[in-house]
Amino acid sequence: MSDQKQGKQKKVKVDRFEKVRLEKLEKIQELGHDPFGQRFDDHSSIAECVAAVPQASGEPGPDVRAAGRIMLRRKAGKLRFYDIKDQTGRIQLLFSRGDLSEEQWELMGQLDLGDLIGIDGAAWRTDSGEPSIKVEKLTVLCKSLAQPPEKYSGLKDDELRLRQRYVDLIYGDGVLERMLQRSTIIDSVRQTLRGHRFNEVETPVLHSIAGGAAARPFITHHNALDMELYLRIALELHLKRLMVGGIERVYEIGRVFRNEGVDKTHNPEFTMIEIYQAYGDYRSMMDLTEEIVVNAAKAIGDTLVLPWGDDGETVDLTPPWPRRTYGELFKEHAGCEMQDQQAVAAVAQKLGIDTDGKHPDVIISEVFEETVEDHLEGPVFVTDYPASICPLTKRKTDDPSVAERFELFIKGMELANAYTELNDPRLQEELFKKQLDGMSEEDSMAKMDDDFVKALKVGMPPAGGLGIGIDRMVMLLTNGRKIGDVIFFPLLRHEQPQKKDGDQPKT
């Protein structure tokens, strides 16, 4: 390569805000400080610092050490007021010209909104009652080179919020708090299950057969073994194998993947918990579901009447929750008995549902979705589904056309799905061999899994099984309006390049 080519360098465009911040970064270096900081030991959380603030204004408080991001700044004469926050809360800082050296005062002058700083000082309450820290020493921990979003309009763009979730967590109202509540909710689920002697396990994400649910899988290839594999669409079949092996109460919280669309309640990658209890049934799972959700609500708040939406609507989780059969709800809202195929077909036609070549129970299911689900304000357990759409479920002894299955609906959203598990290997093999009429071949439902049938032949105890969508449960408990509100990094389309002035549309 020629010297001329080596000497060519790309010009990096730096916006005016970043330019000012870079100048301040250089000044911080000139003052002998590392603008990107070092370890900062023995600091307390801001919540702990607030708790240490004296109750009376002007009363001396203990020395404290805190770290956080600058969120607000203002000045009054020789005083400077900064607000910093961490994941536990927010506190005001008081910088006084008389309390700081010239070097420290000059260092403070190089700070911007978004910078991360460490503070040593005294806990203090102002005359107006504001919990504060009187700063005695400032430590720069990281100079932010990015301008924060404009306070009133910068976080209105939903796509920008999700693409730059790190910015949304800092500046979005309630976003960080909701995501931390998500962790508390999941921990509560684990505590509830530990109290019932359930064992948490991990099972494979890569499956040689995509099964356990009705969904289109993501397909990948393992080069060394030269075999096609699928990202799991459910946790079910491996957990049942473990029940066969003697783990009588077992669960897994894990990511599952479905190669399907994105909307308010669906993301192709999401978190589920699946739970299996030997010697139980779907009624056992109803009791457990109710306890899990109620305990999680109590873990993050002091009421079971939760806000829903922005117009004062609420959802009441106070148990016990009602139980309604699929058939009675179908008759109530669709206007006919689900066993009356002619009447069901007429309702489907009126709703614009295509019935050609579809199994009657598939048509019933689609009519149910259109006519019933939006009315399920809940919480309500919908029980006893048509057996043909539940190939992994035990049938009712007195009516084999009905499966011992329930789904939990709250505000029209399906939150949980549970069965009395099918443990008859002969019937399971028969159902695996028959792909449900009207379902696309590329969907995965009741596909043959010879090894699972072998496991059932060894003997799986009668059991109840339960699946709960963790993301949807967090939506419900934190008043999230979309699944993207409760997933750190939801899947988005590739970002489109911004058009420049003068660009002509392609023809």
Side-chain angles (χ1 to χ4, degrees):
M1 185 181 291
S2 68
D3 291 342
Q4 185 179 5
K5 285 184 178 180
Q6 282 183 328
K8 285 186 177 179
Q9 294 182 350
K10 272 189 174 180
K11 291 185 178 179
V12 178
K13 185 178 179 181
V14 177
D15 68 38
R16 60 190 179 91
F17 296 111
E18 186 172 331
K19 183 178 179 182
V20 171
R21 287 170 179 257
L22 285 168
E23 289 171 354
K24 291 183 177 181
L25 181 149
E26 292 174 0
K27 183 64 177 178
I28 290 170
Q29 289 176 315
E30 290 173 10
L31 291 169
H33 296 267
D34 181 352
F36 296 108
Q38 303 292 333
R39 63 187 291 172
F40 193 70
D41 292 335
D42 302 323
H43 66 281
S44 301
S45 70
I46 287 178
E48 291 170 326
C49 293
V50 170
V53 172
Q55 291 301 310
S57 298
E59 181 182 326
D63 289 339
V64 293
R65 180 170 238 225
R69 188 181 297 272
I70 299 173
M71 303 299 294
L72 185 67
R73 56 181 181 170
R74 54 207 180 280
K75 61 182 177 179
K78 294 184 178 180
L79 292 177
R80 299 292 184 269
F81 298 91
Y82 285 56
D83 284 8
I84 61 169
K85 81 165 189 176
D86 66 7
Q87 69 177 43
T88 70
R90 188 165 175 151
I91 196 167
Q92 177 177 266
L93 309 179
L94 277 68
F95 292 87
S96 171
R97 188 70 182 259
D99 292 339
L100 298 175
S101 67
E102 283 296 324
E103 183 268 344
Q104 283 272 292
W105 187 261
E106 190 173 4
L107 180 63
M108 182 210 64
Q110 312 313 313
L111 299 177
D112 289 297
L113 295 179
D115 289 356
L116 292 160
I117 59 173
I119 290 298
D120 291 280
W124 185 262
R125 190 175 296 275
T126 65
D127 291 340
S128 62
E130 181 75 16
S132 306
I133 301 174
K134 293 181 73 174
V135 178
E136 297 167 2
K137 182 182 178 184
L138 163 67
T139 304
V140 176
L141 297 177
C142 183
K143 181 68 183 173
S144 172
L145 300 181
Q147 186 74 0
E150 202 280 323
K151 183 176 181 182
Y152 295 104
S153 62
L155 290 173
K156 296 289 179 65
D157 185 331
D158 278 349
E159 184 171 329
L160 182 62
R161 287 177 49 239
L162 298 179
R163 288 194 188 281
Q164 299 183 21
R165 179 64 96 183
Y166 40 89
V167 176
D168 193 28
L169 286 165
I170 297 168
Y171 299 104
D173 288 338
V175 178
L176 177 61
E177 290 77 9
R178 177 183 292 123
M179 291 306 189
L180 294 176
Q181 284 180 328
R182 178 187 174 108
S183 297
T184 302
I185 288 166
I186 293 172
D187 186 53
S188 169
V189 173
R190 286 190 164 102
Q191 288 183 40
T192 298
L193 292 172
R194 279 197 295 271
H196 289 284
R197 308 190 318 278
F198 281 89
N199 302 281
E200 184 173 10
V201 299
E202 293 177 313
T203 63
V205 173
L206 292 173
H207 289 186
S208 57
I209 296 173
R216 182 180 300 173
F218 287 94
I219 304 172
T220 187
H221 187 82
H222 190 285
N223 291 335
L225 297 179
D226 190 24
M227 61 188 294
E228 195 170 74
L229 294 170
Y230 305 88
L231 293 180
R232 65 186 179 190
I233 60 172
L235 312 172
E236 180 167 351
L237 300 184
H238 282 91
L239 294 177
K240 286 182 176 179
R241 286 174 170 92
L242 295 180
M243 267 205 305
V244 171
I247 305 179
E248 296 177 352
R249 297 188 176 212
V250 64
Y251 77 95
E252 180 174 6
I253 299 175
R255 303 292 269 184
V256 294
F257 308 86
R258 299 183 182 179
N259 198 351
E260 298 170 348
V262 178
D263 61 27
K264 287 186 176 182
T265 59
H266 293 86
N267 190 68
E269 176 185 3
F270 59 100
T271 302
M272 279 192 70
I273 181 170
E274 290 203 28
I275 306 163
Y276 294 90
Q277 178 180 333
Y279 314 117
D281 66 3
Y282 75 140
R283 289 178 293 269
S284 311
M285 295 297 101
M286 282 188 229
D287 296 336
L288 184 60
T289 302
E290 197 172 84
E291 185 178 352
I292 285 171
V293 177
V294 167
N295 286 352
K298 290 178 178 178
I300 61 169
D302 55 4
T303 179
L304 293 179
V305 181
L306 307 179
W308 183 254
D310 302 319
D311 56 1
E313 192 177 350
T314 60
V315 57
D316 188 350
L317 300 179
T318 304
W321 299 343
R323 304 177 182 191
R324 303 283 306 279
T325 68
Y326 190 99
E328 67 180 335
L329 287 167
F330 191 94
K331 182 178 180 180
E332 180 180 330
H333 296 288
C336 65
E337 299 281 356
M338 67 181 188
Q339 293 84 0
D340 187 340
Q341 293 185 18
Q342 191 172 2
V344 171
V347 174
Q349 186 176 14
K350 187 176 179 180
L351 293 170
I353 295 172
D354 181 17
T355 61
D356 289 344
K358 290 182 179 176
H359 189 286
D361 284 352
V362 173
I363 300 170
I364 290 171
S365 177
E366 293 183 5
V367 171
F368 185 93
E369 289 177 6
E370 288 292 325
T371 60
V372 179
E373 290 187 2
D374 286 344
H375 296 282
L376 300 177
E377 287 291 299
V380 57
F381 291 112
V382 179
T383 68
D384 301 343
Y385 278 61
S388 63
I389 59 173
C390 312
L392 297 169
T393 311
K394 185 169 283 190
R395 279 80 175 113
K396 279 190 168 297
T397 305
D398 57 352
D399 186 357
S401 70
V402 175
E404 292 193 348
R405 172 187 178 184
F406 79 75
E407 289 186 330
L408 169 65
F409 284 88
I410 303 178
K411 293 298 179 182
M413 179 171 64
E414 178 207 333
L415 198 70
N417 185 20
Y419 308 150
T420 299
E421 298 299 334
L422 181 60
N423 63 342
D424 180 344
R426 299 164 302 169
L427 179 55
Q428 185 66 85
E429 187 169 22
E430 178 186 335
L431 292 170
F432 274 159
K433 286 176 179 176
K434 291 191 301 185
Q435 179 77 350
L436 191 62
D437 291 343
M439 188 166 285
S440 169
E441 280 297 320
E442 58 190 352
D443 284 335
S444 175
M445 181 70 163
K447 295 290 181 66
M448 176 56 74
D449 187 334
D450 291 315
D451 182 72
F452 180 64
V453 174
K454 286 179 185 176
L456 290 184
K457 287 180 178 178
V458 173
M460 187 180 86
L466 166 66
I468 299 176
I470 292 293
D471 308 303
R472 292 184 183 183
M473 184 166 70
V474 176
M475 284 175 62
L476 170 74
L477 298 180
T478 65
N479 197 17
R481 308 309 299 142
K482 303 181 295 298
I483 197 167
D485 291 338
V486 299
I487 296 177
F488 277 113
F489 301 104
L491 185 65
L492 300 170
R493 295 180 186 274
H494 288 305
E495 190 169 9
Q496 298 300 313
Q498 294 183 345
K499 288 184 179 180
K500 298 177 182 177
D501 293 339
D503 281 357
Q504 297 298 316
K506 292 183 179 179
T507 57

